[in-house]
Amino acid sequence: MTWASERVRALMPGMRRDLEDLVRIPSVSGPDLPDEPILAAHDLVARLFQEAGVETRRLDLPGTAPVVIGEIPAPPGAPTALLYSHYDVVPAGDESLWTSPPFEPVERDGAIYGRGSADTKANIVAHLGALRAWEGRPPVGIKVVIEGAEEIGGGALTTYPASDPDLFAADVMIIGDMGSVRPGVPTLTVALRGMANVTVEARTLASAKHSGQYGGAAPDALLALIRAISTLHDDRGDVAVAGLRRTEWTGGGISEAEFRELAEVVDGQPLIGSGGLGSRVWTGPAITVIGIDAPSVDGAVNAVSPHARATLNVRVHPEQDAAEAQQAVIRHLTGLRPFGIEISVHPGPTGNGFAARTDSVAYEAARASWSLAWGAEAVTVGVGGSIPLVNALQGAVPDADVLLVGATDGYANIHGPDERVLLDELERATVAEADFLGRYAEAHRRALTA
């Protein structure tokens, strides 16, 4: 047992209490929701970091939740690590699908269940635990950024770092919003896909018309929309839009069997697309219809549709500009005239992806720390989703290394019912981070004197 594992083991009862206290706060972010839970979560996070030795302050930006900002000055000659996470959560959804109430933390089989337990209040606690392991005097400087609107895009914080880069200046950023690909496997996430939305619309008639009288000649908006959307993929299910980047994934990952289990693919149904699984979900594009306006099957009438529209979510290669990818999809769709019908296409929000540098002193230290904490070789993976602030931080501090890590795992059911974090994974993630702070400080010192 290492020094870090001994110290973190002793800290776990207090860390668990802090996690349970955070989960009890229904800090759901979103418009028209009460401010009190968000403010309560902010205040508790700020207090906990203060008690861990961080001098904190509140950063208020227009139209978004307050951000916990904090700092421990670096010892002479030492590097600085920025610790990021978020205290807001998504709504609980249908509470009848939960085994226990979503905002009443419960332990079952070595896991804490509750909304936000994994995404990502456990990662806040891991940051706290790492600082406590060093008794508030780590061998590196510390900056803390804990936001409260990540789940709704981050708001004004996503553009703020460029206006005040010194506030976020660091040598390495530890982004606590990830975790293990599966329990027991130390994981470093090195790629995030970008995102862009596109809305496509067809309007053909002034009003719906009787399908018996007009069907067959009257232009059907829904048929035109379906026809247009169907051209976005080929017969294998691969994206068929020119200009969208795809490369083969060469890192670790999950097996097809695990993917089927996690995605809850119905027995007998195939996966779509071709090539390696990693290139389909991490380094390749994906286009998903996330919303469609069309007549409901329940209560359907025999009528030609006068209007139909759909919103598409485009996932973008980590190194491709999301706006560029969005324009590729728009060009593809605007070049179509399904059945001669003109369709309109409108751009939605975009967010660039992220690709980490993996040949640095920081990554060498991280591989060693995460491997030591789990007693297994660390693997690198990608993630199909995005963290809005990561690109803003990287843009403001381009020389900083970025580690995407955390206490959750692929089976944590984040954003779903019965979200949970394994206490063992939380403990190991905390050990890894505490060990990394010391290992990185030493590696940085050696690199300067080499």
Side-chain angles (χ1 to χ4, degrees):
M1 183 175 285
T2 67
W3 74 268
S5 60
E6 289 180 353
R7 293 185 187 181
V8 172
R9 179 67 55 84
L11 291 168
M12 278 299 292
M15 291 169 58
R16 172 179 170 168
R17 286 193 298 272
D18 293 338
L19 176 59
E20 291 173 341
D21 287 344
L22 284 166
V23 171
R24 288 189 184 98
I25 301 174
S27 50
V28 178
S29 54
D32 304 321
L33 291 173
D35 292 335
E36 288 79 5
I38 285 287
L39 297 177
H42 167 276
D43 292 350
L44 176 54
V45 169
R47 178 174 65 79
L48 291 173
F49 275 101
Q50 289 167 3
E51 293 172 353
V54 180
E55 182 178 345
T56 68
R57 67 181 179 88
R58 171 171 162 164
L59 175 64
D60 287 297
L61 298 172
T64 192
V67 184
V68 177
I69 298 291
E71 184 173 11
I72 298 176
T80 293
L82 184 149
L83 312 182
Y84 165 85
S85 195
H86 63 88
Y87 61 79
D88 65 316
V89 301
V90 299
D94 184 352
E95 295 193 19
S96 69
L97 300 177
W98 288 73
T99 303
S100 52
F103 295 107
E104 295 180 16
V106 174
E107 180 181 354
R108 293 194 298 273
D109 301 322
I112 298 296
Y113 285 79
R115 173 60 81 228
S117 59
D119 185 20
T120 192
K121 291 175 176 179
N123 288 318
I124 295 174
V125 172
H127 287 329
L128 290 164
L131 296 178
R132 291 170 183 168
W134 286 97
E135 298 180 338
R137 297 185 298 275
V140 299
I142 294 294
K143 291 189 176 182
V144 169
V145 179
I146 312 293
E147 65 166 312
E150 191 274 345
E151 296 292 5
I152 55 171
L157 183 60
T158 59
T159 58
Y160 184 76
S163 68
D164 191 4
D166 289 344
L167 181 64
F168 305 94
D171 298 282
V172 64
M173 298 181 180
I174 305 176
I175 308 298
D177 198 8
M178 292 291 167
S180 301
V181 65
R182 70 185 70 86
V185 178
T187 302
L188 300 171
T189 298
V190 297
L192 301 173
R193 282 196 295 196
M195 183 276 291
N197 280 4
V198 172
T199 297
V200 56
E201 184 173 13
R203 189 178 297 275
T204 57
L205 304 171
S207 63
K209 296 299 179 183
H210 192 292
S211 59
Q213 291 180 310
Y214 297 97
D220 188 317
L222 184 54
L223 282 179
L225 182 68
I226 293 170
R227 182 85 163 204
I229 291 173
S230 72
T231 68
L232 297 170
H233 296 82
D234 63 21
D235 290 341
R236 298 172 299 184
D238 290 318
V239 172
V241 175
L244 295 185
R245 184 176 175 185
R246 172 174 171 167
T247 57
E248 282 302 312
W249 175 256
T250 57
I254 59 176
S255 67
E256 181 173 319
E258 286 176 309
F259 183 86
R260 285 177 172 276
E261 181 181 355
L262 289 168
E264 297 185 281
V265 178
V266 175
D267 288 345
Q269 294 299 321
L271 302 184
I272 67 171
S274 62
L277 188 58
S279 67
R280 281 181 273 173
V281 298
W282 296 335
T283 54
I287 301 178
T288 304
V289 180
I290 60 171
I292 189 164
D293 293 334
S296 171
V297 171
D298 294 332
V301 298
N302 296 325
V304 179
S305 294
H307 174 247
R309 71 177 174 168
T311 294
L312 312 174
N313 178 250
V314 184
R315 294 291 168 167
V316 182
H317 187 283
E319 295 179 324
Q320 182 171 24
D321 181 75
E324 172 189 281
Q326 183 184 60
Q327 286 303 309
V329 176
I330 291 173
R331 282 195 305 272
H332 176 97
L333 291 168
T334 54
L336 303 174
R337 287 293 186 275
F339 313 120
I341 295 169
E342 182 179 357
I343 58 174
S344 58
V345 187
H346 313 283
T350 63
N352 285 332
F354 165 78
R357 293 189 295 266
T358 58
D359 58 354
S360 64
V361 169
Y363 256 89
E364 181 180 347
R367 289 189 190 97
S369 293
W370 263 255
S371 298
L372 180 67
W374 269 264
E377 189 70 23
V379 302
T380 57
V381 302
V383 169
S386 58
I387 304 174
L389 192 62
V390 168
N391 279 291
L393 291 172
Q394 189 182 40
V397 193
D399 293 332
D401 285 296
V402 179
L403 305 178
L404 300 167
V405 295
T408 186
D409 65 83
Y411 296 85
N413 212 32
I414 63 173
H415 291 207
D418 283 352
E419 176 183 348
R420 63 100 180 104
V421 65
L422 296 171
L423 289 169
D424 180 64
E425 290 289 304
L426 172 58
E427 181 175 340
R428 292 179 185 277
T430 308
V431 170
E433 187 169 322
D435 182 84
F436 171 79
L437 297 179
R439 192 181 297 271
Y440 177 55
E442 178 61 23
H444 187 270
R445 185 192 65 77
R446 290 198 306 268
L448 289 179
T449 57

